[in-house]
Amino acid sequence: MGDEPARPVGAPNGQGGLPATIEWAGDRVRLIDQRLLPGELRVVDAFTVDDLCDFIATLAVRGAPSLGAAGALAIALASVRGDDLDGALEQVTATRPTAVNLAWGARRAAEADDPVAEARQIVVDEIDRHRAMGHHGATLVPEGGAVLTHCNAGGLACVDYGSALGVVRAAHEQGRRPSVWVDETRPLLQGARLTAWELEMLGIPYTVIPDVAAATVLARGDADLVVVGSDRIAANGDVANKIGTYPLAVLAERHGVPFYVAAPTTTIDPECPDGAAIPVEERDPLEVLEFAGVRTTPDGAKAFNPAFDVTPASLVAGYITERGVSPTPPLD
Amino acid sequence: MGDEPARPVGAPNGQGGLPATIEWAGDRVRLIDQRLLPGELRVVDAFTVDDLCDFIATLAVRGAPSLGAAGALAIALASVRGDDLDGALEQVTATRPTAVNLAWGARRAAEADDPVAEARQIVVDEIDRHRAMGHHGATLVPEGGAVLTHCNAGGLACVDYGSALGVVRAAHEQGRRPSVWVDETRPLLQGARLTAWELEMLGIPYTVIPDVAAATVLARGDADLVVVGSDRIAANGDVANKIGTYPLAVLAERHGVPFYVAAPTTTIDPECPDGAAIPVEERDPLEVLEFAGVRTTPDGAKAFNPAFDVTPASLVAGYITERGVSPTPPLD
């Protein structure tokens, strides 16, 4: 914490001294390998659709808006290599089923006359959307307020600036002195590893907690609001987000703490009527049975590892998008 | 899972081919080092009160009933070594503040004419209590029922047989074919490491889940009941137990799944009027900031690491003790 000046995280083209979360680099896609953070900040290159799909599947790049950019950039790669775009579109879309942005970005690039230009435009547009979103959401953060968040919805997840963390970041830039309770976010610790890393560099005070300790923080009245991102918002306002979001929303309601979802309108899926229609990805049980290659469970153990859960719209106090804060998701 | 016959875990004097969870061994206290499970089953000896307090503080032995035995056995050690018993009593009691059994066992041994005989009697009595408790609680498990549990309330926590897991074990012995959802229990993974290990050896089917995935299991209707242990039950029925128990109880109520607490009457503290009066131990932040010695968070990160939370009596469907199942804790 402390003396470091606030720096943008994942700013495109290396603004602020840090590499971009994900960007087009001439003939390849360059991205921060989020699997290695916070221990190592390494940039890796994808030369083919297969390369990039492997980075997506293994969470080297993750977070719905960053996946939207990744999907478009994968099609850009396919186009410069002369691959079949329909096949690439199908391959990319199947890589992770829950985040609607992945399919959205890939489709938009595939339908464009110039997929590379379209993918680069999507990157720029997401950055603009997230800065606008943060500006709107910051008004919800009281002076000196404590925000509780889950998973990583920062610049790493959102190409730049962040959705939930963008709200915190804008409040910080406005001098509201926010602090953050960071759910560690099992099993892959995106909160402990990535959100903490972003906040550390931004100089915003934060405290990491085991996910289930959020209930204690809320019960003590130590959080003023909860803000999370989303991987897909259904037309009725139900929200798919990282596993653990739903119990957090239930606890927030019980303790009278408002629960907000911050996401660009590109995360809203008007074709999806409600949460029951959102496919929930189940990931490898080894993510639960091992840690960093160390077995933590007995031989023979099974695990259930859903990557997401669905929070009903009734638990959401408001949706923070680039258009403002609204009680229902802006669909038009 | 599979073909192994059901074997007692931590049976005293090596019954069933396994060492005892904790026992008096002539001039020392011998116990399973629970920090090393499931990777290694190692028995260690405490020769002094300092030795045993160190094992207690670092969770080589944990779980309220096992801590009751450990507290009594520490006083037994002090008595055979000619230590000051009042000083030993104070030292033992201060080692972990939440579990009432620790102070209870130590005090009972300190007040006895023969602390060694008293400590050994406490060990035997806990075993009897837990077998009776399991017998009573098993009636709550439907044929083929799925029990969701948090942390470890098995033979390792309870000298033998287990409280919450004792209920499952008795149901298994009665041929009810229970299965178990095992919350991994961050930060120290007592569920993934210890509960899974016990169930594996008992041949009872189980599935490990990240703690927050319990909400998904409950929302899907995939658990018939929740059973947990306790570290202290206040006179009004409020329950201190491992961090994560309270949000689990809230989610169980929301989804209409009965939430039971299984604990011997030695865990009830009639002097404690309600949950607000229970001291909650905060443990080393490094338990959250690192895993197995590997740093998972950025340098400079802080963590909040409460070891327990308090579940209000209103969320508890029943208390399973050696006396039966009752809607309020049996106080007389």
Side-chain angles (χ1 to χ4, degrees):
Chain A
M1 232 93 50
D3 302 329
E4 288 288 309
R7 292 187 296 181
V9 171
N13 307 315
Q15 288 168 26
L18 281 179
T21 294
I22 185 165
E23 64 182 346
W24 182 254
D27 60 345
R28 67 196 71 179
V29 175
R30 183 162 285 167
L31 54 94
I32 294 175
D33 187 343
Q34 300 186 32
R35 297 168 299 189
L36 305 176
L37 288 171
E40 183 184 350
L41 176 60
R42 187 194 295 174
V43 169
V44 291
D45 289 330
F47 295 92
T48 66
V49 175
D50 281 352
D51 288 350
L52 190 46
C53 284
D54 188 58
F55 285 140
I56 292 168
T58 58
L59 311 189
V61 57
R62 30 64 56 201
S66 289
L67 287 176
L73 290 163
I75 300 302
L77 276 179
S79 78
V80 299
R81 292 173 53 86
D83 297 346
D84 170 53
L85 291 198
D86 287 341
L89 179 61
E90 196 171 329
Q91 180 184 355
V92 170
T93 301
T95 306
R96 295 196 69 199
T98 303
V100 70
N101 304 58
L102 179 63
W104 170 86
R107 200 168 47 241
R108 211 174 105 171
E111 289 169 357
D113 291 335
D114 181 345
V116 172
E118 185 69 14
R120 299 181 72 174
Q121 188 60 47
I122 284 174
V123 168
V124 171
D125 288 349
E126 281 305 2
I127 297 170
D128 290 344
R129 281 190 196 97
H130 283 82
R131 290 190 178 265
M133 189 191 312
H135 177 79
H136 294 306
T139 59
L140 301 168
V141 181
E143 171 71 24
V147 177
L148 196 153
T149 193
H150 189 72
C151 196
N152 171 264
L156 292 166
C158 305
V159 185
D160 191 14
Y161 207 76
S163 53
L165 277 196
V167 169
V168 172
R169 191 164 165 174
H172 176 69
E173 289 167 0
Q174 293 171 12
R176 291 172 186 253
R177 300 180 301 105
S179 64
V180 184
W181 294 102
V182 178
D183 273 4
E184 63 174 0
T185 315
R186 283 285 294 162
L188 295 179
L189 302 177
Q190 290 93 338
R193 296 191 302 107
L194 306 178
T195 298
W197 182 77
E198 294 196 31
L199 291 169
E200 187 70 35
M201 279 188 305
L202 290 164
I204 298 173
Y206 67 95
T207 304
V208 179
I209 52 175
D211 302 317
V212 289
T216 295
V217 170
L218 292 165
R220 290 184 179 183
D222 287 343
D224 296 290
L225 67 163
V226 177
V227 189
V228 298
S230 174
D231 292 81
R232 188 184 307 213
I233 300 174
N236 76 335
D238 291 351
V239 174
N241 191 45
K242 178 59 53 199
I243 187 82
T245 301
Y246 166 58
L248 183 58
V250 170
L251 270 295
E253 180 190 52
R254 182 177 171 95
H255 295 290
V257 178
F259 177 92
Y260 293 99
V261 175
T265 51
T266 50
T267 297
I268 301 168
D269 182 1
E271 306 299 313
C272 182
D274 58 34
I278 302 176
V280 171
E281 175 185 2
E282 285 189 30
R283 294 185 58 84
D284 191 335
L286 284 178
E287 292 180 355
V288 178
L289 298 172
E290 297 182 348
F291 184 86
V294 178
R295 183 87 185 184
T296 54
T297 46
D299 291 340
K302 288 190 309 178
F304 172 53
N305 186 22
F308 304 96
D309 59 23
V310 175
T311 299
S314 59
L315 296 174
V316 180
Y319 300 82
I320 306 166
T321 72
E322 70 273 19
R323 298 201 205 160
V325 182
S326 57
T328 56
L331 280 173
D332 52 292
Chain B
M1 230 92 47
D3 303 329
E4 289 288 309
R7 293 187 295 182
V9 170
N13 308 316
Q15 289 167 25
L18 282 178
T21 294
I22 185 165
E23 65 183 344
W24 183 253
D27 60 344
R28 68 196 68 178
V29 175
R30 183 162 285 168
L31 55 94
I32 293 175
D33 186 344
Q34 300 186 32
R35 298 168 298 188
L36 304 177
L37 287 171
E40 183 184 351
L41 176 60
R42 188 194 296 174
V43 168
V44 291
D45 290 331
F47 294 91
T48 67
V49 175
D50 281 353
D51 288 349
L52 190 46
C53 284
D54 188 57
F55 286 140
I56 292 168
T58 58
L59 311 190
V61 57
R62 28 68 53 201
S66 288
L67 287 176
L73 289 163
I75 299 302
L77 277 178
S79 79
V80 298
R81 292 173 53 88
D83 297 345
D84 170 51
L85 291 198
D86 287 341
L89 180 60
E90 196 171 327
Q91 180 184 355
V92 170
T93 301
T95 305
R96 295 197 68 199
T98 303
V100 69
N101 304 58
L102 179 64
W104 170 87
R107 200 168 48 242
R108 211 175 104 173
E111 289 168 357
D113 292 335
D114 181 345
V116 171
E118 185 70 13
R120 298 181 71 173
Q121 188 61 47
I122 284 174
V123 168
V124 171
D125 288 350
E126 281 305 1
I127 297 170
D128 291 344
R129 282 190 196 99
H130 283 82
R131 289 189 178 266
M133 189 190 313
H135 177 78
H136 294 307
T139 59
L140 301 168
V141 180
E143 172 71 22
V147 177
L148 196 154
T149 192
H150 189 71
C151 198
N152 172 264
L156 292 166
C158 304
V159 184
D160 191 13
Y161 206 75
S163 53
L165 276 197
V167 169
V168 172
R169 189 163 165 175
H172 176 69
E173 290 166 1
Q174 293 170 12
R176 292 172 185 253
R177 301 180 300 107
S179 63
V180 185
W181 294 102
V182 178
D183 273 4
E184 63 173 359
T185 315
R186 282 286 294 164
L188 295 178
L189 301 178
Q190 291 93 338
R193 295 192 301 108
L194 307 178
T195 297
W197 182 76
E198 294 196 31
L199 291 168
E200 188 70 35
M201 279 189 305
L202 290 163
I204 298 173
Y206 67 94
T207 305
V208 179
I209 52 175
D211 301 317
V212 289
T216 294
V217 170
L218 293 166
R220 290 184 180 184
D222 288 343
D224 295 291
L225 67 164
V226 177
V227 189
V228 299
S230 174
D231 293 80
R232 189 185 304 215
I233 300 173
N236 77 335
D238 291 352
V239 173
N241 192 45
K242 178 58 55 198
I243 188 80
T245 302
Y246 166 58
L248 184 58
V250 170
L251 270 295
E253 181 192 52
R254 182 175 172 94
H255 294 290
V257 178
F259 177 92
Y260 293 99
V261 175
T265 51
T266 50
T267 298
I268 301 168
D269 182 1
E271 306 299 313
C272 182
D274 57 34
I278 301 176
V280 171
E281 175 185 3
E282 285 188 29
R283 295 185 57 83
D284 191 335
L286 285 179
E287 292 179 354
V288 178
L289 299 171
E290 297 182 348
F291 183 87
V294 178
R295 183 86 184 186
T296 54
T297 46
D299 291 341
K302 288 191 308 179
F304 172 53
N305 185 21
F308 304 97
D309 59 24
V310 175
T311 299
S314 59
L315 296 175
V316 180
Y319 301 82
I320 306 166
T321 72
E322 70 275 18
R323 298 200 205 159
V325 183
S326 57
T328 56
L331 280 172
D332 52 293

